[in-house]
Amino acid sequence: MAFESLTERLNGVFKKLRGKGKLNEADIKAAMREVRMALLEADVNYKVAKDFCAQVSERAMGQEVMESLTPAQQVVKIVNEELTKLMGGDEPQYLHIKNKGQTVLMMCGLQGNGKTTHAAKLGKYYRSQGRRPLLVACDVYRPAAIQQLQIVGEQAGVPVFTMGTEKPEHIAQQAMAHARDHGNDIVILDTAGRLQIDDALMDELVRIKEAVEVDETLLVVDAMAGQEAVNVAKTFNEKIGITGVVLTKTDGDTRGGAALSVLAVTGKPIYFQGTGEKLEDLEPFYPSRMASRILG
Ligand code: GDP
């Protein structure tokens, strides 16, 4: 189960605080040092962890804690609120799906992070909301990739548009025409991934974005990759401009670093989280729920 050790560490810090009764500044400082260590161990970006603890300290040194009869509980409340804020605030962020015409979602990311699976998961999700999505196979390098999209598309009950190994930008354009003709209102482009970021991959994604009007450029990142996932998100954002993140494999053995750092480092929200291999294992990302889960 994800976050176990972060949860354990934080609970240890809070337990110590509860044992103290009234708190002074030194207690808060010591606790924040430990919180920072716990965050760093959970692979949270260094600056994010530092800023987070500074923010919590500032609030914890204020009246609401110092004069409270249950100061430790107040600190937990502040940590919960600040964790929520760090991940985007109380409300989940929803993708902007237009009511007229086609909304284009471009899925991108490194190979193996869950791009194809999540293209299909999103198709299934929007289909269950009465939309008529179309999946598009723009990963033309591996025949297996096209086939995989066809398989998961069928499982999701969502049609798949393929044109073999044509140029991806051309496939995207043709898919738009197909979507207009067939009444598909959400077009989900599954693009090629690589094991590492390279210029050819970025150029290809830029060409697709030049060929069709992409509404949401979604980076699919594996939560288990921790800070590395966040670095990837930063680079993709700089090179092609992403609008948000789909954080996958949050059911796995992730330490939490990616979930906690993505927004602060890239400025882009996490829209969805993948919670398993099955196509129904997709949830909107609720920062407050994630914060509560981290606090255990
Ligand atoms: P792509 O190369 O980025 O298109 O990645 P795939 O969609 O092929 O996924 C790679 C592997 O990760 C597959 O075995 C998926 O079943 C698995 N996977 C994808 N999303 C999740 C998730 O949210 N949780 C878990 N546990 N596995 C996932």
Side-chain angles (χ1 to χ4, degrees), residues 110 112-118 121 148 249 251 274-277:
L110 298 183
N113 280 345
K115 194 167 9 73
T116 302
T117 310
H118 282 76
K121 283 184 182 181
Q148 188 195 347
K249 311 189 193 183
D251 53 309
T275 56
E277 287 185 81

Side-chain angles (χ1 to χ4, degrees), residues 231-266:
N231 294 338
V232 168
K234 192 162 179 272
T235 307
F236 267 81
N237 192 37
E238 284 162 4
K239 302 241 176 187
I240 63 162
I242 62 172
T243 55
V245 165
V246 176
L247 191 66
T248 67
K249 311 189 193 183
T250 60
D251 53 309
D253 188 21
T254 160
R255 287 176 291 163
L260 289 169
S261 314
V262 162
L263 177 64
V265 172
T266 66

Side-chain angles (χ1 to χ4, degrees), residues 2-226:
F3 304 126
E4 243 167 33
S5 82
L6 178 58
T7 304
E8 232 169 71
R9 291 284 305 265
L10 291 177
N11 281 328
V13 178
F14 299 142
K15 195 168 166 217
K16 247 192 246 171
L17 282 183
R18 268 194 289 272
K20 284 187 185 298
K22 274 247 169 230
L23 301 179
N24 58 33
E25 288 196 5
D27 296 328
I28 305 267
K29 263 196 189 145
M32 284 311 124
R33 255 197 310 275
E34 283 184 55
V35 168
R36 192 166 76 167
M37 285 304 296
L39 291 172
L40 293 177
E41 266 173 42
D43 214 14
V44 174
N45 172 280
Y46 178 78
K47 185 170 184 305
V48 173
K50 189 164 166 254
D51 292 350
F52 176 83
C53 289
Q55 178 66 17
V56 173
S57 285
E58 191 179 317
R59 285 187 59 189
M61 305 257 187
Q63 287 180 344
E64 63 182 311
V65 171
M66 295 304 183
E67 291 174 11
S68 164
L69 292 175
T70 51
Q73 258 159 276
Q74 294 299 320
V75 173
V76 177
K77 183 166 162 270
I78 291 171
V79 170
N80 190 334
E81 286 169 6
E82 291 297 326
L83 282 176
T84 302
K85 212 195 284 176
L86 184 59
M87 290 183 284
D90 287 327
E91 293 301 315
Q93 303 269 337
Y94 290 106
L95 290 181
H96 306 96
I97 306 291
K98 291 184 273 199
N99 280 325
K100 269 194 183 157
Q102 282 76 33
T103 301
V104 180
L105 314 180
M106 183 167 97
M107 315 296 289
C108 53
L110 298 183
Q111 204 170 304
N113 280 345
K115 194 167 9 73
T116 302
T117 310
H118 282 76
K121 283 184 182 181
L122 283 175
K124 187 178 168 88
Y125 176 86
Y126 284 113
R127 184 174 164 252
S128 75
Q129 297 194 347
R131 297 283 183 165
R132 299 192 58 195
L134 176 70
L135 289 165
V136 182
C138 291
D139 180 353
V140 298
Y141 303 105
R142 295 178 305 137
I146 300 174
Q147 211 183 1
Q148 188 195 347
L149 189 67
Q150 283 170 321
I151 291 168
V152 286
E154 193 169 320
Q155 287 167 355
V158 175
V160 179
F161 182 85
T162 64
M163 285 178 70
T165 55
E166 288 268 338
K167 285 201 168 75
E169 61 269 30
H170 181 58
I171 298 175
Q173 274 171 337
Q174 294 300 310
M176 292 308 292
H178 180 95
R180 280 190 288 272
D181 289 348
H182 293 78
N184 299 112
D185 52 2
I186 300 180
V187 177
I188 304 173
L189 307 175
D190 183 30
T191 67
R194 303 265 202 283
L195 289 174
Q196 283 172 326
I197 293 173
D198 65 44
D199 289 342
L201 167 65
M202 293 299 174
D203 289 348
E204 181 173 310
L205 297 173
V206 168
R207 281 201 303 277
I208 294 175
K209 285 184 90 165
E210 284 167 357
V212 298
E213 205 174 301
V214 173
D215 297 284
E216 299 276 7
T217 304
L218 299 175
L219 183 69
V220 177
V221 293
D222 181 341
M224 287 194 279

